[in-house]
Amino acid sequence: MPQPSATAFTEAWIRRFAASASATEAELTALDQQVGDGDFGTNLVAGLDATLRRLDGQGEPAGRSPLECAADAFLDEVGGTSGPLFGLLLQELAAAVAEGGDRLDPAALAAGAGGGLAAIQRVGEARVGDKTLVDALAPACDALASYARGQGTDPAEALARAAQAAWTGVGDTARLTARRGRASYVGDRAAGVPDPGAVGIGLLFSAAEETVTRLAPFLTDGPENPPERRTA
């Protein structure tokens, strides 16, 4: 079966990400109320609503790719910590994917995700183990890079592996002591709670294949038994 174009694939991916964030906003809010300001779900949905408006031709210059629309929306319209960080990741993904024309190459996805991780770490100085979204993004990047090194050619399979690795990282954050971000200020209150930003990364990569309607199955399976792939 021929692969969809990069434009078609990434637009469907971003639209599923928006649907996933909307469906799980209440759960994201509940998580963030335990470790942060309680606004992560609202900000994520706001960024993706702005993205959808741009995808539908409202206020976005012609010719912008779906990932560029998403990056612009998060960087321009979303406050807090999540807007710039997700915007940087999406911006790097957009730039890497654009170099491949209309063919979506797993190596480009790996390069874009890796560039996004580097940009986020430059801005926020977080490392693996600090209980931030980096704990989900770093293993997702590793999974993408490993798939690309193995000469894999299916972007959906590459992103599915990244999603599984990201959710394993999400599970890890529940056992970590926060050293960065808002959760580092709440002490023991954050114990046992997965980092909401890391959950957002899990949603992003899962949305390449499916719309996530409930977080609970992903948050209870844990890293030893990560969620199985689900069809869209």
Side-chain angles (χ1 to χ4, degrees):
M1 179 182 298
Q3 293 179 3
S5 70
T7 299
F9 185 103
T10 54
E11 179 166 350
W13 176 11
I14 292 299
R15 288 187 182 277
R16 283 192 294 269
F17 186 28
S20 297
S22 180
T24 61
E25 181 179 3
E27 291 174 277
L28 290 168
T29 296
L31 283 176
D32 201 35
Q33 285 172 339
Q34 297 178 73
V35 300
D37 293 336
D39 62 354
F40 177 73
T42 300
N43 286 340
L44 188 63
V45 169
L48 287 162
D49 283 349
T51 299
L52 294 180
R53 290 194 295 272
R54 290 167 186 251
L55 288 176
D56 293 335
Q58 301 175 37
E60 187 71 20
R64 300 291 279 171
S65 74
L67 288 170
E68 287 173 325
C69 288
D72 291 348
F74 274 90
L75 290 169
D76 294 347
E77 300 191 37
V78 182
T81 303
S82 57
L85 298 186
F86 275 82
L88 286 171
L89 172 58
L90 291 161
Q91 187 176 63
E92 293 290 335
L93 281 167
V97 167
E99 292 184 2
D102 215 28
R103 177 179 174 273
L104 192 59
D105 180 11
L109 291 170
L117 174 62
I120 286 168
Q121 290 186 305
R122 283 195 301 272
V123 169
E125 300 183 347
R127 297 291 181 264
V128 171
D130 285 347
K131 193 178 175 119
T132 71
L133 63 80
V134 167
D135 290 290
L137 181 54
C141 290
D142 289 344
L144 285 169
S146 177
Y147 184 81
R149 283 195 302 270
Q151 306 301 309
T153 60
D154 184 354
E157 177 64 26
L159 290 164
R161 294 187 185 195
Q164 192 169 61
W167 287 114
T168 297
V170 170
D172 290 343
T173 66
R175 291 183 290 278
L176 293 171
T177 299
R179 296 196 293 259
R180 292 281 177 183
R182 181 66 61 178
S184 65
Y185 302 127
V186 302
D188 291 343
R189 213 177 85 199
V193 181
D195 179 73
V199 173
I201 295 295
L203 287 177
L204 169 63
F205 285 109
S206 287
E209 183 180 36
E210 63 174 329
T211 298
V212 176
T213 58
R214 292 177 60 245
L215 293 180
F218 293 86
L219 301 184
T220 56
D221 287 337
E224 292 80 15
N225 184 27
E228 296 294 328
R229 291 183 62 185
R230 297 163 170 84
T231 58

